[in-house]
Amino acid sequence: MGNIKLKTKFAGLIIVLIAVSLVANLAWTSENKRAQMENELREKGMVLTQQMDAVWEFMASNQDRLEQISYTDDGVYQGLHCAIAGRSIGQLFTSQSSYTTRFVNFNPRNQADEPDAFEARALDAFYADPACREFYEIAQYQGEEVFRYLAPMRIEKNCLDCHGEPAGEIDVTGYAKEGWRSGDVGGAISIVIPLDVYMDNEKSAVVQDVIFFGGMLVACLVIMYLALTYLVTRPLSKIQAGVERIQTGDLDVELAHTESSREMNTLMTEFNEMAHELAGIYSNLEAQVQVRTAQLAEANAVLERQRAQLEEANGRLRDENRYKFEFLAMMSHELRTPLTSIIAFTELLNRNSEPADEKEAETRREIEANSRALLLMINDILEMSRLDAGRIEMNRETVDLGDIAGMVQAVVQPLANRKNIAFAYEIDPDVPLITADFEKLRHVLENLCGNAVKFTPEGGDVRLSISWHPECGQVWLRVADTGIGIAKKDQRRIFDRFVQADSSASRRYNGTGLGLSLAKEYAEMHGGTISVESELGHGSVFAVRIPVDGPTEARA
């Protein structure tokens, strides 16, 4: 719709208005003409029935005179009966037209006067309501649409000789009396008027009205269209042409005022002011471009010097990072070798000889526990330096989490024994094999379990549980302890590097603050997550969720 011209939209709207108006006028005119025709036919039917009723009344009032001359010498009545005369007069009224007249009633003396369904409804209405004076409708008659009109026939005093009381007595015509009283309904005059002529006249009138109305409507809408073209679209076309000239770079544009309307003149004035402002801006643009070009060249020179400085700084940082990594790797190697030897000799000493007393046993446990704790810290530092240097790669393989749990217990159990802490792990029987980096998951669990032992007072509990959750396709590694807990405000930052919940200089617990940061890095490298639930003084629960098939991008 946005690309259709305004003239086209107006033309379409005008066509729709013409069509709707013509349909509405046709419907209104047809209905009005039909109502007018029905009212005219009703008046004709009413006049005709009044005339026939007058003849009937005349015949009834002169019935006595007719009877005086209508008997034979033998006393047999052979005169003109009022009903016969009335029917004959009715036929004479309609003999020169296509009208049909009848006198109808229920149980008539003449079977030809038996009512049809429409006449029966009219008679029912007359009998039910004495005030009802007519019954009419456009209906079907012998397969054609006609106007039917019925008026009630009231019993006069002169009618009682033949139709009055007592009911069943034989009147002069040889028929049984009906037992009617004066004022009763004695039947109805039924008139059938064909609609052929009226329908043709109605159609002709409708066509003439529609042609006249349509012509007037078309003329009005054409005038409106021309007025809109002159008052709206022509000025807008001028403005559009001016905009197109500005788009091509021709800013020397000034639109002349039009006689269409004040609004259009205001719009053109504002357009001319805009064009003048654009011309003024464009005249200063070249000078501004030169100034901006010089400033840009100067800025580029500054940026180039800064880029060189940044490259030099980055080179120094890369060298320093390499030196740091090499130093940490060397130190870690040099420290890990004697620590490993100390742990191995301690285990060998514990296997081959019993301690002389409890003090010697405690000393051995201290040596082994401190050595393992120091080894964990050295491993954390070395792993973090590798991460910083970008030398950590995922070695994906099929992993049995039971093997990892066993190795973690071997490392953490001496630390737990040192503080008389109960350490245990449990694995659900339905936990599947997973695709992961064995060493990194072991490092995650060693850090979590080591932290749990470190921050749990003597006599506490540490539990490692591994469960399978098929609804999300993950295994959950949960480490729960009964330790000191973590405050709500510290639970977000404990996964940052070199951060502990208690970071004061006098903190009771030693450590590098790298364990949880590494655990988070390794969990996310597997496409998993790590979270904590804790309350200060009531222990903590760390949960690591690892996809069974590795991260999504790895599967893809």
Side-chain angles (χ1 to χ4, degrees):
M1 289 294 291
N3 294 326
I4 301 176
K5 291 185 177 180
L6 188 59
K7 283 187 177 181
T8 305
K9 291 184 178 181
F10 274 124
L13 179 60
I14 288 173
I15 292 173
V16 172
L17 288 175
I18 291 175
V20 172
S21 300
L22 286 177
V23 170
N25 180 66
L26 179 62
W28 182 84
T29 303
S30 298
E31 186 66 24
N32 188 47
K33 291 297 183 182
R34 193 172 187 87
Q36 182 178 352
M37 177 188 70
E38 187 173 345
N39 188 56
E40 181 180 346
L41 291 172
R42 171 182 166 274
E43 292 179 355
K44 288 189 175 183
M46 182 173 61
V47 170
L48 187 57
T49 55
Q50 289 175 350
Q51 293 174 346
M52 294 179 66
D53 191 57
V55 172
W56 183 278
E57 185 177 352
F58 171 79
M59 294 298 298
S61 62
N62 291 278
Q63 187 69 33
D64 293 339
R65 299 174 183 175
L66 291 173
E67 290 176 355
Q68 294 175 3
I69 62 174
S70 298
Y71 287 94
T72 64
D73 295 337
D74 299 331
V76 178
Y77 180 76
Q78 60 180 9
L80 184 63
H81 193 271
C82 62
I84 298 174
R87 185 178 296 107
S88 300
I89 293 299
Q91 292 175 354
L92 288 174
F93 279 159
T94 58
S95 61
Q96 300 301 319
S97 67
S98 57
Y99 296 1
T100 301
T101 60
R102 296 204 314 146
F103 295 91
V104 296
N105 196 9
F106 296 120
N107 301 316
R109 294 185 176 185
N110 189 339
Q111 290 185 353
D113 297 334
E114 192 75 33
D116 59 19
F118 183 82
E119 293 165 337
R121 285 197 293 122
L123 288 171
D124 288 336
F126 296 150
Y127 284 123
D129 183 9
C132 184
R133 293 288 181 267
E134 59 186 355
F135 190 92
Y136 58 90
E137 187 178 308
I138 294 177
Q140 291 291 324
Y141 180 75
Q142 295 181 354
E144 296 181 0
E145 191 175 37
V146 297
F147 180 79
R148 306 199 66 177
Y149 185 91
L150 282 90
M153 296 177 59
R154 302 289 176 180
I155 298 299
E156 303 290 340
K157 182 178 179 181
N158 297 325
C159 301
L160 298 178
D161 293 339
C162 297
H163 302 284
E165 297 177 336
E169 184 181 44
I170 303 301
D171 65 2
V172 296
T173 63
Y175 288 96
K177 293 182 178 182
E178 287 83 356
W180 291 335
R181 298 178 181 179
S182 180
D184 288 348
V185 176
I189 301 174
S190 176
I191 301 175
V192 179
I193 303 177
L195 297 180
D196 297 344
V197 175
Y198 295 95
M199 293 295 291
D200 291 341
N201 291 337
E202 178 190 355
K203 292 179 181 179
S204 177
V206 169
V207 170
Q208 291 176 2
D209 287 348
V210 169
I211 291 175
F212 175 77
F213 177 79
M216 292 295 296
L217 183 62
V218 170
C220 292
L221 292 177
V222 168
I223 293 172
M224 287 179 58
Y225 178 79
L226 295 176
L228 286 172
T229 300
Y230 178 77
L231 298 176
V232 179
T233 57
R234 189 170 67 95
L236 289 179
S237 299
K238 292 182 178 180
I239 296 175
Q240 180 184 5
V243 172
E244 291 175 351
R245 289 178 59 185
I246 290 177
Q247 288 177 342
T248 59
D250 182 8
L251 301 179
D252 188 17
V253 178
E254 184 169 358
L255 301 179
H257 283 194
T258 177
E259 298 81 14
S260 60
S261 65
R262 179 185 300 176
E263 290 80 1
M264 285 298 174
N265 286 331
T266 302
L267 181 60
M268 289 186 175
T269 299
E270 293 177 352
F271 178 85
N272 291 335
E273 292 176 357
M274 180 195 70
H276 294 158
E277 291 178 1
L278 287 175
I281 293 172
Y282 184 77
S283 62
N284 297 326
L285 186 60
E286 292 184 358
Q288 294 177 2
V289 168
Q290 293 177 357
V291 173
R292 295 293 186 271
T293 302
Q295 293 175 348
L296 183 60
E298 183 179 354
N300 286 334
V302 173
L303 288 175
E304 183 62 27
R305 290 194 298 270
Q306 291 177 347
R307 186 186 64 79
Q309 293 172 358
L310 285 174
E311 287 185 356
E312 183 180 355
N314 286 333
R316 289 197 303 268
L317 288 174
R318 283 193 296 270
D319 293 339
E320 291 175 0
N321 194 46
R322 188 180 74 254
Y323 296 150
K324 181 186 73 172
F325 171 73
E326 291 175 353
F327 171 77
L328 290 174
M330 180 186 67
M331 291 301 296
S332 298
H333 176 74
E334 295 300 327
L335 291 174
R336 288 172 67 182
T337 300
L339 277 175
T340 305
S341 300
I342 291 172
I343 294 171
F345 283 128
T346 303
E347 292 175 349
L348 182 62
L349 181 62
N350 288 333
R351 284 198 301 270
N352 295 336
S353 64
E354 295 293 331
D357 50 28
E358 182 58 31
K359 183 178 181 179
E360 183 180 344
E362 178 64 22
T363 301
R364 292 184 182 184
R365 286 195 295 270
E366 286 288 335
I367 293 173
E368 183 176 2
N370 286 321
S371 298
R372 292 188 181 277
L374 183 57
L375 183 60
L376 288 176
M377 287 190 287
I378 292 173
N379 287 338
D380 286 347
I381 295 172
L382 181 59
E383 290 297 315
M384 190 58 68
S385 65
R386 288 176 176 172
L387 278 174
D388 289 342
R391 299 191 180 186
I392 294 293
E393 295 182 357
M394 290 288 287
N395 182 23
R396 300 188 184 279
E397 57 183 324
T398 302
V399 174
D400 186 344
L401 292 174
D403 295 341
I404 294 179
M407 296 180 67
V408 170
Q409 184 186 34
V411 174
V412 176
Q413 190 67 58
L415 302 176
N417 293 339
R418 173 189 173 193
K419 298 177 64 175
N420 193 26
I421 293 173
F423 174 78
Y425 71 87
E426 57 182 5
I427 303 177
D428 290 350
D430 60 345
V431 173
L433 300 177
I434 68 172
T435 301
D437 189 308
F438 185 94
E439 288 299 325
K440 290 179 177 57
L441 284 187
R442 180 181 65 80
H443 201 92
V444 169
L445 290 182
E446 281 184 0
N447 269 308
L448 294 179
C449 293
N451 279 352
V453 170
K454 181 168 64 173
F455 292 103
T456 299
E458 292 189 7
D461 291 321
V462 175
R463 291 287 182 271
L464 167 62
S465 60
I466 302 176
S467 58
W468 161 236
H469 294 266
E471 70 278 1
C472 57
Q474 295 177 334
V475 290
W476 290 9
L477 318 174
R478 294 166 58 88
V479 178
D481 63 60
T482 58
I484 62 175
I486 305 170
K488 292 290 185 183
K489 63 184 180 64
D490 295 325
Q491 290 180 13
R492 285 189 176 182
R493 66 188 190 90
I494 60 173
F495 294 102
D496 296 337
R497 294 184 183 183
F498 305 107
V499 171
Q500 288 186 343
D502 178 12
S503 59
S504 63
S506 60
R507 65 186 185 221
R508 295 170 49 196
Y509 305 97
N510 296 322
T512 61
L514 295 175
L516 292 179
S517 176
L518 278 172
K520 179 175 180 294
E521 293 275 358
Y522 287 164
E524 291 177 350
M525 289 175 69
H526 283 84
T529 60
I530 185 170
S531 62
V532 62
E533 296 178 7
S534 181
E535 184 178 352
L536 199 61
H538 293 82
S540 305
V541 178
F542 285 84
V544 180
R545 298 171 178 84
I546 302 296
V548 169
D549 297 327
T552 304
E553 58 271 16
R555 293 197 300 273

